[in-house]
Amino acid sequence: ALADVAMSGVDYTKADGDTNGRKVTVGAKADVPVDVTGTGTHVALIDATTELLYVTTCASVSLDDTGTVDFGAWDIEIADPV
């Protein structure tokens, strides 16, 4: 992990999907300290035991271990079965 931040229940909002199904909006986080210098290309959600729950790509961003990074809000959407 290049950067990590603790999340809680208030950081997630459940709603109907944009076209159908359901979605979870993951709230934005600002000024997250960068732990390791590198290039960020993915965002992952893990639980407290480090079990991987979800991974998605993001715009490539160069990170420096003396800086911070902002994460904008984003959605995980699951369509209704057909």
Side-chain angles (χ1 to χ4, degrees):
L2 300 179
D4 58 88
V5 63
M7 306 286 283
S8 68
V10 298
D11 293 311
Y12 304 95
T13 304
K14 295 184 280 185
D16 289 334
D18 292 334
T19 56
N20 65 34
R22 298 289 288 165
K23 73 177 174 182
V24 174
T25 299
V26 180
K29 290 289 186 175
D31 299 323
V32 176
V34 175
D35 299 325
V36 179
T37 298
T39 301
T41 57
H42 291 76
V43 176
L45 298 176
I46 60 171
D47 70 7
T49 64
T50 67
E51 179 181 355
L52 183 62
L53 302 175
Y54 187 82
V55 177
T56 189
T57 58
C58 64
S60 181
V61 61
S62 181
L63 301 172
D64 185 282
D65 65 0
T66 62
T68 62
V69 63
D70 297 335
F71 294 94
W74 52 285
D75 294 334
I76 300 169
E77 190 159 346
I78 300 173
D80 288 331
V82 288

